[in-house]
């Protein structure tokens, strides 16, 4: 009698001996291949640091200007992006200048791949430049020196493009974002539209229970630790420490997920992993004075968001001085620069929407649902969608009147009307918002500010104690050799250096990896041991995430208990019941009040200035005053329909000035702006007025049919034009027409009966 034997562990869903063998072979091969990738990572790290100008740009470039040659030398440089395999950029289009963050890593992330900030700008036909930096700062270099260097670079770009339709578009990523805003506040005349991606500006802001990084300075007792790190580095601050702080935010990814993902997908993941690690491991240095300035004035002091910083030349760095549109791109998935820190400066600077109008400032924000911090400027999906739409619609953004807007990017579908008028796979829509909308995102809190103000005061005291009693001893003991030893033994550097071809075992692994690749046998996807492996990995990730959440809660609770205690607040000059805000609002200063009076008087005087173009802009705003969304399709159609004779004699920047000025006048005094329309039309020829009416009717039909209110408003405007044409028939002398007072009362152009809302608050660029 023959007895059948079942395979080992083949019943009850357990793996058989064959499955065990397959999984064991696959695991061994993956281990060997993983070790070989890590060897290649170490070699790549050493080769990258040995380069004269280490960067991760995916585009050829040539140096145009070196910051080392400036009167106040810095380790920055301006490079032109070359296009050897593509048509030359259009010299009439405004150049793009991409500035990368010097926050621990080397430069190049803005042009990391073809689908990047630089890539989309080139495809849109714009000349493109890149501001990068060397790993080592110039001794004595300061943050202010870098600002002056950036201004010099922009002057050079402007000089190289005399035919450009406007000033350069400047993109600042992360740390470069706030530094570019500081430079723009100092030299606003050099900037076209500004795009800041993942850039923290209001450092005390954040959502309770979600943004623990903002508590780090207070929990360490302030910036004395920064001073100590700079002293131990012999005057240099190691950027690897900044990178380490980023990694601590997500221990599950740092300690497990990133490496496990490489191991689990070793056959496909290696190129992407090595590409990213080249950037992540390119650590750079800052001068101790640079880092101390950043920590004292930004991270802990939070002085930029309330215009408290003043340069050595006596210039106040007030972001309200910027007249270029500012696009703020942030994400709910960003744990380094959450939306409150990216947008909080708006509520810090402005009390209401009228404040924004008086300062003639345009702010456009876009909040991504989930992308992480680095994904904001390296994700191919983000590059293909958000950055592509920003680049291709930069003129639309540049024409927006003063105010706050939200950029919404929607998919094109077969049902999208006039889809050919929008480039790419998406349609950009800009919707009018207000301070209250931003406040709902930021959720500012006076109680929260009091805690951070106490932490800032404690930081000042501790820093003074360190500098008085400890710093002289530390500096006396530190030598260049000891500083170099600390840099070489930094845990992040060791993780790259310990496994390279210099290790005698690495060559053996490389040879074994070649054999494995030649005879690779991956395990079957349905192998139960593979599912068990995934389950174990998931459990490890969940455990580390739980530990992270517990740690973050403890840190937040500790910060609240310490700096929210009545004793600490009293010791830092804040009494219980004190109604004085911990930070003075810049909107109540005497200088600001005088500025408001002057601007109001000037707008009243400008009501009757202008001609046909000004009248056309006012008419558009009047027709669309109840519409809250500006659509790129309507703008593109309007530009197509504009005949050359309408735009002769002024360029795009002049036209932008007209659009913005007329929008301000409409928002300032709606009735007066409309009642003076006949005065403006009296300075134009009848044929031109008639053609303007036809143009308005064409624009109104795209991208969808006008609302009844818009159709009624159009008819009212056409009636005004008709009366202006008839007035010309009387053949009054030109001088008499120019001096004739306004004849059309605002009451005759009242909103249609069905109109709702507050029209003067809803005007945005058509």
């Amino acid at each position: 009698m023959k007895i059948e034997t079942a395979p080992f562990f083949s019943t009850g869903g357990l793996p058989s001996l064959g499955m065990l063998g397959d999984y064991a072979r696959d695991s061994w091969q993956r281990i060997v291949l993983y070790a070989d990738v890590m060897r290649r990572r170490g070699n790549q790290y050493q080769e990258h640091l040995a380069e004269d100008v280490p960067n991760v740009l995916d585009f050829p470039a040539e140096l145009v200007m070196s910051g080392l040659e400036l009167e106040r030398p810095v380790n920055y440089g301006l490079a032109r992006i070359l296009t050897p395999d593509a048509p030359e950029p259009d010299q009439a289009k405004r150049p793009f200048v991409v500035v990368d963050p010097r926050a621990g890593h080397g430069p190049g992330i803005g042009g990391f791949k073809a689908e990047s900030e630089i890539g989309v700008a080139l495809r849109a036909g714009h000349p493109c430049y890149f501001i990068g930096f060397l790993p080592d700062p110039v001794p004595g270099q300061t943050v202010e020196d870098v600002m002056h260097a950036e201004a010099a670079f922009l002057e050079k770009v402007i000089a190289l493009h005399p035919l450009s339709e406007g000033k350069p578009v400047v993109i600042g990523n992360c740390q470069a974002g706030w530094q570019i805003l500081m430079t723009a506040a100092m030299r606003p005349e050099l900037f076209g539209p500004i795009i800041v991606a993942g850039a923290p500006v209001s450092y005390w802001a954040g959502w309770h229970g979600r943004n623990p990084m903002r508590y780090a300075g207070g929990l360490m007792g302030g910036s004395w630790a920064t001073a100590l790190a700079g002293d131990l580095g012999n005057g240099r601050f190691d950027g690897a420490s900044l990178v380490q702080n980023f990694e601590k935010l997500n221990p599950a990814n740092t300690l497990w997920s990133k490496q496990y993902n490489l191991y689990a997908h070793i056959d496909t993941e290696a190129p992407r992993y090595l590409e990213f690690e080249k950037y992540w491991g390119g650590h750079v240095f800052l001068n101790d004075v640079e880092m101390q300035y950043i920590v004292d004035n930004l991270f802990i002091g939070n002085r930029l968001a309330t215009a408290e910083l003043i340069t050595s030349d006596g210039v106040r760095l007030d972001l309200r001085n910027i007249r270029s549109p500012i696009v703020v791109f942030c994400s709910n998935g960003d744990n380094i620069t959450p939306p409150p820190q990216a947008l909080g400066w708006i509520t810090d600077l402005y009390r209401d929407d009228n404040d924004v109008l008086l300062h003639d400032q345009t702010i456009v924000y876009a909040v991504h649902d989930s992308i992480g911090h680095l994904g904001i400027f390296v994700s191919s999906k983000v590059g293909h969608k958000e950055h592509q739409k920003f680049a291709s619609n930069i003129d639309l953004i540049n024409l927006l009147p003063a105010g706050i807007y939200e950029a919404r990017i929607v998919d094109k579908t077969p049902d999208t009307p006039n889809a050919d008028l929008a480039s790419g796979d998406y349609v950009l829509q800009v919707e009018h918002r207000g301070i209250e909308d931003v406040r709902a995102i930021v959720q500012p809190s006076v109680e929260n500010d009091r805690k951070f103000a106490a932490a800032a005061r404690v930081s000042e005291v501790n820093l003074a104690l360190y500098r008085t009693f400890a710093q002289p001893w530390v500096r006396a003991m530190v030598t260049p050799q000891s500083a170099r030893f600390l840099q070489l033994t930094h845990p992040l550097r060791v993780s790259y250096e310990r496994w390279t071809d210099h290790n005698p075992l690495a060559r053996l692994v490389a040879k074994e990896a070649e054999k494995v690749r030649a005879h690779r046998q991956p395990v079957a996807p349905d192998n139960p041991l593979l599912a068990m492996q995934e389950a174990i990995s998931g459990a490890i990730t969940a455990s580390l995430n739980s530990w992270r959440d517990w740690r973050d809660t403890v840190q937040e609770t500790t910060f609240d208990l310490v700096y929210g205690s009545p004793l600490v607040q009293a010791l830092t000059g804040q009494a219980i019941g004190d109604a004085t805000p911990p930070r003075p609002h810049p909107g109540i200063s005497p200088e600001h009040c005088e500025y408001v009076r002057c601007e109001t008087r000037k707008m009243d005087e400008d009501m009757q200035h202008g001609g046909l173009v000004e009248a056309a802009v006012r008419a558009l705003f009047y027709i669309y005053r109840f519409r809250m969304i500006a659509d790129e399709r309507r703008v593109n159609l309007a530009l197509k329909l504009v005949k050359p004779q309408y735009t002769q004699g002024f360029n795009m920047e002049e036209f932008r000035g007209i659009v913005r000025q007329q929008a301000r006048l409409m928002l300032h005094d709606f009735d007066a702006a409309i009642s003076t329309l006949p005065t403006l039309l009296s300075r134009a020829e009848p044929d031109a007025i008639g053609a303007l009416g036809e143009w308005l009717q064409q624009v109104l039909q795209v991208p969808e049919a006008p609302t009844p209110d818009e159709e009624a408003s159009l008819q009212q405007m056409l009636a005004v034009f008709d009366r202006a044409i008839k007035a010309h028939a009387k053949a009054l002398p030109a001088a008499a027409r120019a001096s004739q007072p306004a004849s059309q009362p605002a009451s005759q152009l009242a909103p249609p009966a069905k109109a709702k809302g507050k029209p003067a608050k809803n005007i945005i660029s058509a």
Side-chain angles (χ1 to χ4, degrees):
M1 181 178 178
K2 184 176 181 181
I3 300 176
E4 297 289 340
T5 58
F8 183 64
F9 284 172
S10 64
T11 60
L14 296 175
S16 66
L17 283 175
M19 291 178 177
L20 285 170
D22 291 345
Y23 180 78
R25 180 185 61 249
D26 176 66
S27 295
W28 167 250
Q29 290 182 339
R30 279 188 285 161
I31 289 172
V32 173
L33 294 176
Y34 174 86
D36 187 58
V37 171
M38 301 306 287
R39 174 191 66 85
R40 291 158 60 192
R41 183 185 81 146
N43 292 342
Q44 174 183 266
Y45 171 80
Q46 292 182 331
E47 293 167 1
H48 183 60
L49 293 185
E51 296 174 0
D52 292 335
V53 185
N55 67 82
V56 293
L57 273 178
D58 192 43
F59 298 87
E62 64 177 0
L63 183 67
V64 173
M65 187 174 180
S66 172
L68 298 174
E69 300 172 356
L70 296 174
E71 181 180 354
R72 298 161 71 168
V74 296
N75 65 329
Y76 280 70
L78 173 69
R80 187 202 322 265
I81 302 298
L82 304 177
T83 56
D85 302 322
E88 280 293 315
D90 186 347
Q91 295 301 310
K93 289 191 172 184
R94 65 176 75 241
F96 272 61
V97 180
V98 177
V99 190
D100 261 359
R102 185 162 156 251
H105 305 100
I109 202 68
F112 192 49
K113 54 186 71 173
E115 205 69 57
S116 61
E117 295 163 337
I118 289 177
V120 298
L122 290 175
R123 283 202 302 277
H126 295 269
C128 204
Y129 292 81
F130 177 76
I131 295 178
F133 45 86
L134 299 171
D136 296 300
V138 174
Q141 170 183 313
T142 66
V143 170
E144 192 174 319
D145 292 337
V146 175
M147 291 164 52
H148 284 285
E150 289 170 341
F153 294 155
L154 289 178
E155 289 175 338
K156 182 67 173 180
V157 172
I158 292 170
L160 290 173
H161 294 273
L163 302 179
S164 171
E165 60 191 12
K167 298 294 174 62
V169 178
V170 183
I171 302 177
N173 294 319
C174 189
Q175 173 271 343
W178 56 255
Q179 187 143 337
I180 280 297
L181 290 176
M182 291 168 66
T183 305
M186 181 181 70
R187 297 287 304 278
E189 76 279 4
L190 300 177
F191 287 78
I194 300 170
I195 302 174
V196 288
V201 181
S202 186
Y203 296 84
W204 294 357
W207 292 318
H208 195 271
R210 290 179 57 183
N211 306 129
M213 194 173 185
R214 58 190 176 137
Y215 303 121
L219 293 174
M220 295 182 69
S223 67
W224 72 271
T226 304
L228 174 62
D231 291 338
L232 293 175
N234 197 34
R236 296 201 307 174
F237 185 92
D238 193 348
S241 296
L242 292 175
V243 179
Q244 192 173 48
N245 288 336
F246 299 150
E247 292 196 335
K248 288 178 180 178
L249 286 175
N250 191 353
N253 182 69
T254 300
L255 301 176
W256 179 258
S257 300
K258 183 169 70 170
Q259 308 304 330
Y260 172 75
N261 186 57
L262 172 63
Y263 167 77
H265 306 94
I266 194 65
D267 298 308
T268 58
E269 185 66 12
R272 190 206 67 83
Y273 178 87
L274 290 172
E275 181 184 50
F276 177 76
E277 286 296 297
K278 183 177 182 181
Y279 168 73
W280 197 248
H283 308 126
V284 300
F285 294 88
L286 294 87
N287 279 333
D288 55 355
V289 293
E290 291 181 284
M291 195 63 207
Q292 196 68 44
Y293 179 95
I294 293 170
V295 174
D296 285 338
N297 293 295
L298 303 178
F299 294 172
I300 295 178
N302 196 26
R303 295 188 176 100
L304 175 60
T306 47
E308 297 176 68
L309 296 180
I310 300 176
T311 70
S312 60
D313 301 327
V315 177
R316 182 176 295 277
L317 300 181
D318 189 341
L319 300 185
R320 295 173 299 178
N321 292 338
I322 301 173
R323 291 295 173 266
S324 305
I326 302 174
V327 179
V328 181
F329 183 30
C330 54
S331 171
N332 289 322
D334 187 348
N335 62 349
I336 293 176
T337 306
Q341 292 190 8
L343 298 170
W345 62 275
I346 302 172
T347 55
D348 286 342
L349 280 176
Y350 296 110
R351 293 176 297 176
D352 51 39
D353 295 328
N354 194 54
D355 258 0
V356 182
L357 171 67
L358 287 169
H359 282 275
D360 196 22
Q361 191 161 71
T362 302
I363 303 168
V364 181
Y365 68 88
V367 182
H368 195 282
D369 288 335
S370 59
I371 198 72
H373 182 70
L374 286 175
I376 290 176
F377 23 89
V378 305
S379 169
S380 295
K381 291 182 179 179
V382 171
H384 181 68
K385 186 178 182 181
E386 281 84 1
H387 289 300
Q388 191 273 333
K389 297 312 294 183
F390 293 151
S392 60
N393 290 282
I394 202 65
D395 287 330
L396 183 158
I397 294 170
N398 194 50
L399 283 173
L400 288 172
I404 299 174
Y405 306 87
E406 181 180 7
R408 297 173 59 249
I409 300 173
V410 299
D411 295 335
K412 275 187 184 178
T413 68
D415 300 327
T416 300
N418 302 103
D420 59 307
L421 290 174
S423 62
D425 300 323
Y426 306 94
V427 177
L428 175 67
Q429 297 177 340
V430 182
E431 189 164 354
H432 192 269
R433 293 287 186 258
I435 283 288
E436 291 306 317
D437 297 296
V438 177
R439 188 170 282 116
I441 297 173
V442 176
Q443 299 175 20
S445 165
V446 174
E447 180 185 0
N448 180 73
D449 281 359
R450 290 191 183 281
K451 296 172 186 176
F452 281 97
R457 182 59 182 147
V458 168
S459 175
E460 294 172 357
V461 172
N462 286 344
L463 179 61
L465 290 171
Y466 170 77
R467 285 176 168 168
T468 301
F469 298 106
Q471 190 174 64
W473 295 95
V474 174
R475 289 184 171 180
M477 292 186 293
V478 170
T479 65
Q481 293 75 22
S482 67
R484 177 65 176 164
F485 175 78
L486 287 177
Q487 294 159 12
L488 293 175
T489 56
H490 193 285
L492 290 190
R493 285 196 172 83
V494 171
S495 69
Y496 289 89
E497 294 276 10
R498 67 188 175 191
W499 185 238
T500 68
D501 280 344
H502 295 300
N503 190 310
L505 296 177
R507 303 280 183 175
L508 299 177
V509 170
K511 291 181 180 179
E512 185 65 21
E514 291 179 7
K515 297 177 184 178
V516 168
R517 280 189 284 268
H519 304 283
R520 178 76 172 108
Q521 293 179 277
V523 68
D526 60 352
N527 190 302
L529 286 169
L530 198 61
M532 188 183 300
Q533 168 191 302
E534 289 291 332
I536 293 173
S537 173
I540 293 173
T541 301
S543 298
L544 289 171
N545 284 338
S546 296
W547 178 82
R548 176 204 62 200
D549 294 342
W550 174 83
R551 178 202 65 185
D552 293 349
T553 300
V554 170
Q555 289 180 346
E556 186 174 62
T557 302
T558 302
F559 183 91
D560 289 342
L561 288 174
V562 172
Y563 294 107
S565 70
L567 176 61
V568 172
Q569 294 214 347
L571 290 173
T572 56
Q574 301 183 87
I576 294 179
D578 186 357
T580 304
R583 292 187 295 168
H585 197 287
I588 62 174
S589 67
E591 296 84 359
H592 179 264
C593 294
E594 178 61 25
Y595 172 84
V596 169
R597 285 192 291 271
C598 291
E599 285 297 302
T600 301
R601 185 167 56 250
K602 184 177 184 301
M603 285 191 286
D604 289 337
E605 295 170 354
D606 288 343
M607 281 294 177
Q608 299 195 40
H609 294 173
L612 181 64
V613 175
E614 288 79 5
V617 173
R618 292 191 196 182
L620 273 176
F621 286 147
Y622 180 80
I623 294 169
Y624 289 118
R625 67 195 183 283
F626 296 105
R627 185 182 292 265
M628 299 293 291
I629 299 176
D631 190 295
E632 67 169 297
R633 292 167 292 174
R634 179 176 286 112
V635 173
N636 290 335
L637 175 67
L639 293 177
K640 283 184 177 181
L641 294 177
V642 171
K643 296 180 180 179
Q645 61 263 32
Y646 295 161
T647 57
Q648 286 179 350
F650 64 91
N651 58 29
M652 181 59 77
E653 281 301 291
E654 292 172 342
F655 181 59
R656 173 181 182 263
I658 292 172
V659 170
R660 292 175 61 82
Q661 174 68 357
Q662 297 310 307
R664 289 185 80 200
L665 296 179
M666 295 280 283
L667 288 166
H668 171 61
D669 191 336
F670 183 79
D671 287 345
I674 296 302
S675 66
T676 53
L677 265 178
T679 302
L680 305 187
L681 292 171
S682 69
R683 298 162 187 154
E685 295 300 322
D687 290 345
I689 298 174
L692 174 60
E694 295 175 3
W695 177 77
L696 286 174
Q697 294 179 73
Q698 289 178 291
V699 171
L700 191 60
Q701 302 303 317
V702 177
E704 62 269 338
T707 66
D709 289 339
E710 290 170 348
E711 184 64 43
S713 298
L714 172 65
Q715 296 306 317
Q716 290 176 327
M717 285 293 100
L718 294 178
V720 173
F721 295 165
D722 186 58
R723 285 193 291 271
I725 293 173
K726 291 178 179 178
H728 276 277
K730 298 178 181 179
L732 288 176
R737 292 201 307 268
S739 60
Q740 192 173 6
S743 59
Q744 181 68 21
S747 58
Q748 295 185 29
L749 289 171
K754 296 181 181 179
K756 304 292 183 183
K758 299 178 180 179
K761 297 292 184 182
N762 296 345
I763 298 171
I764 63 175
S765 173

